[in-house]
Each structure stands twice: as C-alpha cells, then as structure tokens.
Amino acid sequence: MELAFGPPSSFPPAKTCTRETDGFPTSHRVPFKLYDQRGARSVTCCATQRAQVPELSLENEKHNLLRAVQETQRGLITSADQRSNIEEAMQVNLECYCSGVPIDLVKLDGTWRLQYTSARDVLILLESAATLPFFQVGQIFQKFNCLDQSNGGVVYNVVKWSIPTLLEEDNGVTLLVSAKFSVLSARNIYLQFEEVTFEDINISGELQALIAPALLPRSFFSLQILQFIRTFKAQIPLGNQDRRSVGGLYYLSYLDNNMLLGRAVGGGGAFVFTRAQPL
C-alpha cells in the first residue's frame, strides 16, 4: 500500500487521556494510558492536546499508523507486538486529538476503504478467504450518505468477493449491508441494520465462454442467461414489523479528510479506514 503522508519527525511527549462515550453513564467510559517517548506513564489529562498538536506532527502519526497496519493483511496476521503498536498509534495522538469534538457529517460523507480491523465478524471473512480455495475477499468499504443530514444518514458496508475461475478475481460479487445511523452524542452513532444485498455479479471469462462460446453464434437462450447473471440482485431484509433488526453502537474516535478510526462499543473491535474513490 502506498502511503501518501509526510516523513516521520520528532513528536512531543504524550499524555494520559480518558476517552468517553459521550452521552452515556460513566460505566461506558473507556480509560486508556498514553506513553511518552521514554515509555513512562503520564498522569496529566490531554484535554488541551488538540490545540498543541502541529499539523505536520498529526500527519506523521497517521503515517505511523498506516505503516503499522500495512503488513497485517487488514488485521488477519498480527503478532502481540504489532497489535500493541497499532493500538498505541491509534490512541497516542489520533483518538485523543478528536476526543469530545462533535462528528462532522460533511467529512464523514463518502467512501472509506478498510485498512485494518480487530473485529471478529470481519476477520472471519478474511480467515475464510485465506483457508478456503474457492473463496476470495477483495476490498472492503464503508460508504456514508449523510452530506445533507443534521443528525444521521445511511451507511453501507460493502464487501467485494469472488469464487476463483467462476467469477472475476476480487470483484465477482458485491455484498452490501445497509443500515440507518443516528448521531447519539458528540462521537457516538447508532446503527440499525436494514438489509443484506448480493448484486453486481461479474462472471469470469472462462465461465462466460462456457455459457456462450465466442466462436459460435450466441443463441437467444445463452444471451438471456448472461443478462440474468449480470442483473441478478438478491435482497434479504434484517427486520420486519414484528421483529426489530439488529443494531450496534459505534464510537467514531477520529475523523479528518482522509482518515477515519472507529470502535464498536462493547469490545467489538477497532477499525482503520482511509478515504477512497466513490463507489
């Protein structure tokens, strides 16, 4: 992965900070320790740290985080030291920098590519792709539609996956999980999942040649099969009038124009996203 951030430079000693899921009881507060360059624990709160972090130093911290995650295969392969370094890179000056600042829905709007996660539900997909010869996982995105909203919007979890020899590599089928989200407090959003969709099927050249050989006249029947595959779309609702769909609480711990960090409240895992081209 090509990193588009500035070169490392010296960074001032970090301080202790308490991240709080705003608007919730104190039992939801998540304390975490920050370390200075000598490894000594500090006991002073970093409430004024946002104003003290120069822009160049902030870009260096983002660079360090991306450098820490780039060899982990999006979190699939991590050692204890790597996980520790990633957590430190997220917490030391990125998450603390945005602590308490309200979510900017204008910045949040758009497409974000997953670079790293410790969430088990995503890692299961990556593990399956690594062990099953008939399953591949391509890029994973989150797409937020909230540009003209004041208190929420819609988010899509997008997974590109494939079956070798049958579908195009890394882009054979799109799995789409849609959810409405609402802003509960400064940094917390609540997701109400609505629907799972399978769409955009792209079959491989080998399968297409089998259905409709290029050297033979294509029959109406074979063309209908190809058209059906290309336009096939399966939608599975996650709730109905009698049963409410599954939801989840997320803490957006850092957000700027090109990086998004989040955590599923309750130990669901951490996420590192970077800005991507619109899907």
Short mmCIF file of all heavy atoms in Angstrom, two decimals, residues 45-69:
data_model
loop_
_atom_site.label_atom_id
_atom_site.label_comp_id
_atom_site.label_asym_id
_atom_site.label_seq_id
_atom_site.Cartn_x
_atom_site.Cartn_y
_atom_site.Cartn_z
N CYS A 45 -4.12 14.91 32.17
CA CYS A 45 -5.09 14.76 31.09
C CYS A 45 -4.67 15.56 29.87
O CYS A 45 -4.04 16.60 29.99
CB CYS A 45 -6.48 15.21 31.56
SG CYS A 45 -7.75 15.03 30.30
N CYS A 46 -5.05 15.07 28.68
CA CYS A 46 -4.65 15.75 27.44
C CYS A 46 -5.80 16.59 26.89
O CYS A 46 -6.00 16.64 25.69
CB CYS A 46 -4.21 14.73 26.41
SG CYS A 46 -5.52 13.60 25.93
N ALA A 47 -6.55 17.23 27.74
CA ALA A 47 -7.71 17.99 27.29
C ALA A 47 -7.34 19.09 26.32
O ALA A 47 -8.12 19.46 25.45
CB ALA A 47 -8.44 18.58 28.50
N THR A 48 -6.13 19.66 26.46
CA THR A 48 -5.72 20.75 25.57
C THR A 48 -4.83 20.26 24.45
O THR A 48 -4.28 21.06 23.71
CB THR A 48 -4.96 21.83 26.37
OG1 THR A 48 -3.78 21.23 26.95
CG2 THR A 48 -5.82 22.40 27.46
N GLN A 49 -4.72 18.95 24.28
CA GLN A 49 -3.77 18.42 23.31
C GLN A 49 -4.13 18.79 21.88
O GLN A 49 -3.26 18.97 21.05
CB GLN A 49 -3.68 16.91 23.45
CG GLN A 49 -2.58 16.30 22.58
CD GLN A 49 -2.38 14.84 22.88
OE1 GLN A 49 -3.02 14.30 23.76
NE2 GLN A 49 -1.51 14.20 22.14
N ARG A 50 -5.42 18.88 21.56
CA ARG A 50 -5.82 19.19 20.19
C ARG A 50 -5.19 20.48 19.71
O ARG A 50 -4.73 20.57 18.58
CB ARG A 50 -7.34 19.30 20.10
CG ARG A 50 -8.07 18.00 20.26
CD ARG A 50 -9.51 18.15 19.86
NE ARG A 50 -10.18 19.18 20.66
CZ ARG A 50 -10.77 18.94 21.81
NH1 ARG A 50 -10.75 17.72 22.31
NH2 ARG A 50 -11.38 19.88 22.47
N ALA A 51 -5.14 21.48 20.59
CA ALA A 51 -4.58 22.76 20.19
C ALA A 51 -3.06 22.72 20.12
O ALA A 51 -2.45 23.59 19.52
CB ALA A 51 -5.03 23.85 21.16
N GLN A 52 -2.45 21.71 20.74
CA GLN A 52 -1.00 21.67 20.82
C GLN A 52 -0.35 20.82 19.73
O GLN A 52 0.85 20.88 19.53
CB GLN A 52 -0.58 21.09 22.19
CG GLN A 52 -1.03 21.94 23.37
CD GLN A 52 -0.77 21.25 24.69
OE1 GLN A 52 -0.33 20.11 24.73
NE2 GLN A 52 -1.05 21.96 25.78
N VAL A 53 -1.14 20.04 19.00
CA VAL A 53 -0.57 19.14 18.00
C VAL A 53 -0.42 19.87 16.67
O VAL A 53 -1.41 20.24 16.05
CB VAL A 53 -1.47 17.90 17.82
CG1 VAL A 53 -0.89 16.98 16.74
CG2 VAL A 53 -1.59 17.15 19.13
N PRO A 54 0.82 20.08 16.19
CA PRO A 54 1.01 20.71 14.88
C PRO A 54 0.49 19.81 13.78
O PRO A 54 0.46 18.59 13.91
CB PRO A 54 2.53 20.88 14.79
CG PRO A 54 3.04 20.69 16.18
CD PRO A 54 2.07 19.79 16.86
N GLU A 55 0.09 20.41 12.67
CA GLU A 55 -0.48 19.63 11.57
C GLU A 55 0.52 18.61 11.04
O GLU A 55 0.15 17.47 10.73
CB GLU A 55 -0.92 20.57 10.45
CG GLU A 55 -1.59 19.85 9.28
CD GLU A 55 -2.09 20.82 8.24
OE1 GLU A 55 -2.10 22.03 8.50
OE2 GLU A 55 -2.48 20.34 7.16
N LEU A 56 1.79 18.99 10.91
CA LEU A 56 2.80 18.06 10.41
C LEU A 56 2.95 16.86 11.34
O LEU A 56 3.06 15.72 10.89
CB LEU A 56 4.14 18.77 10.24
CG LEU A 56 5.30 17.89 9.74
CD1 LEU A 56 4.96 17.28 8.38
CD2 LEU A 56 6.59 18.71 9.65
N SER A 57 2.96 17.10 12.64
CA SER A 57 3.08 16.00 13.59
C SER A 57 1.87 15.08 13.51
O SER A 57 2.00 13.85 13.65
CB SER A 57 3.22 16.54 15.02
OG SER A 57 4.43 17.26 15.16
N LEU A 58 0.69 15.64 13.28
CA LEU A 58 -0.51 14.83 13.14
C LEU A 58 -0.42 13.95 11.90
O LEU A 58 -0.76 12.76 11.94
CB LEU A 58 -1.74 15.73 13.06
CG LEU A 58 -3.11 15.04 13.04
CD1 LEU A 58 -3.31 14.21 14.29
CD2 LEU A 58 -4.21 16.08 12.91
N GLU A 59 0.07 14.49 10.79
CA GLU A 59 0.26 13.70 9.59
C GLU A 59 1.29 12.59 9.82
O GLU A 59 1.15 11.48 9.30
CB GLU A 59 0.70 14.59 8.42
CG GLU A 59 -0.37 15.54 7.93
CD GLU A 59 -1.59 14.80 7.42
OE1 GLU A 59 -1.44 13.88 6.60
OE2 GLU A 59 -2.71 15.13 7.86
N ASN A 60 2.30 12.87 10.62
CA ASN A 60 3.29 11.85 10.94
C ASN A 60 2.66 10.70 11.72
O ASN A 60 2.98 9.52 11.49
CB ASN A 60 4.43 12.46 11.77
CG ASN A 60 5.30 13.41 10.95
OD1 ASN A 60 5.33 13.33 9.73
ND2 ASN A 60 5.98 14.31 11.64
N GLU A 61 1.75 11.03 12.65
CA GLU A 61 1.09 9.99 13.42
C GLU A 61 0.20 9.12 12.52
O GLU A 61 0.13 7.90 12.69
CB GLU A 61 0.25 10.61 14.54
CG GLU A 61 1.06 11.22 15.66
CD GLU A 61 1.97 10.19 16.33
OE1 GLU A 61 1.50 9.07 16.60
OE2 GLU A 61 3.14 10.52 16.56
N LYS A 62 -0.48 9.74 11.56
CA LYS A 62 -1.28 8.98 10.61
C LYS A 62 -0.39 8.07 9.75
O LYS A 62 -0.74 6.91 9.48
CB LYS A 62 -2.09 9.93 9.74
CG LYS A 62 -3.19 10.66 10.50
CD LYS A 62 -3.63 11.94 9.83
CE LYS A 62 -4.19 11.74 8.47
NZ LYS A 62 -4.66 13.02 7.87
N HIS A 63 0.73 8.60 9.34
CA HIS A 63 1.70 7.80 8.57
C HIS A 63 2.17 6.61 9.39
O HIS A 63 2.26 5.48 8.89
CB HIS A 63 2.88 8.68 8.18
CG HIS A 63 4.03 7.93 7.57
ND1 HIS A 63 4.11 7.68 6.22
CD2 HIS A 63 5.13 7.36 8.12
CE1 HIS A 63 5.21 6.99 5.97
NE2 HIS A 63 5.85 6.79 7.11
N ASN A 64 2.48 6.83 10.65
CA ASN A 64 2.96 5.75 11.51
C ASN A 64 1.90 4.66 11.69
O ASN A 64 2.22 3.47 11.71
CB ASN A 64 3.36 6.30 12.89
CG ASN A 64 4.60 7.18 12.82
OD1 ASN A 64 5.40 7.08 11.89
ND2 ASN A 64 4.76 8.07 13.80
N LEU A 65 0.64 5.07 11.81
CA LEU A 65 -0.44 4.10 11.96
C LEU A 65 -0.58 3.25 10.69
O LEU A 65 -0.67 2.02 10.76
CB LEU A 65 -1.75 4.81 12.27
CG LEU A 65 -3.00 3.92 12.33
CD1 LEU A 65 -2.83 2.80 13.36
CD2 LEU A 65 -4.23 4.75 12.64
N LEU A 66 -0.58 3.89 9.53
CA LEU A 66 -0.71 3.14 8.28
C LEU A 66 0.49 2.23 8.04
O LEU A 66 0.35 1.12 7.52
CB LEU A 66 -0.88 4.11 7.10
CG LEU A 66 -2.20 4.87 7.07
CD1 LEU A 66 -2.27 5.78 5.85
CD2 LEU A 66 -3.39 3.93 7.08
N ARG A 67 1.65 2.68 8.45
CA ARG A 67 2.84 1.85 8.32
C ARG A 67 2.74 0.64 9.25
O ARG A 67 3.18 -0.46 8.89
CB ARG A 67 4.09 2.66 8.66
CG ARG A 67 5.41 1.91 8.44
CD ARG A 67 6.57 2.84 8.61
NE ARG A 67 6.58 3.47 9.93
CZ ARG A 67 7.46 4.41 10.29
NH1 ARG A 67 8.35 4.84 9.42
NH2 ARG A 67 7.40 4.92 11.50
N ALA A 68 2.11 0.81 10.41
CA ALA A 68 1.97 -0.30 11.36
C ALA A 68 0.98 -1.35 10.87
O ALA A 68 1.13 -2.53 11.17
CB ALA A 68 1.55 0.23 12.73
N VAL A 69 -0.05 -0.93 10.11
CA VAL A 69 -1.09 -1.89 9.71
C VAL A 69 -0.84 -2.50 8.33
O VAL A 69 -1.47 -3.51 7.99
CB VAL A 69 -2.49 -1.23 9.71
CG1 VAL A 69 -2.78 -0.59 11.05
CG2 VAL A 69 -2.64 -0.20 8.59
#
